[in-house]
Amino acid sequence: KLGMGFRKDPVGQRIEFAPWLSPFVNRFTDAVTRRVLKSLGRGETVAKLQGMLNWYRDQPTVQSSRDSRRAA
């Protein structure tokens, strides 16, 4: 497809929360959530939640402009 004029764009995974949960997951609640998860111990579920929240916090913002000439 590159020969037809399309260009490559990096594609990554993104974490989005349900609309009802989004207001509660922000930079102000991040410290409290970390403390609560840390107090729960070292379980697998706690580790997954911590990883998901870290990934959500560190992900780049979404760019609203889309180009239809992108290679798949």
Side-chain angles (χ1 to χ4, degrees):
K1 293 186 177 182
L2 295 173
M4 298 186 323
F6 290 94
R7 61 182 168 79
K8 284 186 180 182
D9 279 343
V11 178
Q13 294 179 348
R14 181 159 186 81
I15 295 177
E16 292 291 332
F17 289 105
W20 62 269
L21 187 59
S22 293
F24 302 108
V25 181
N26 55 45
R27 64 182 178 173
F28 301 112
T29 60
D30 185 48
V32 174
T33 306
R34 283 176 186 251
R35 260 184 258 135
V36 169
L37 289 175
K38 192 173 186 179
S39 71
L40 291 176
R42 296 179 149 244
E44 182 181 353
T45 304
V46 172
K48 286 182 180 184
L49 285 171
Q50 287 174 332
M52 181 180 67
L53 291 172
N54 288 341
W55 193 345
Y56 179 78
R57 185 186 64 241
D58 297 338
Q59 69 187 350
T61 58
V62 176
Q63 295 181 6
S64 61
S65 64
R66 304 278 270 167
D67 188 0
S68 62
R69 295 186 48 87
R70 190 177 57 174

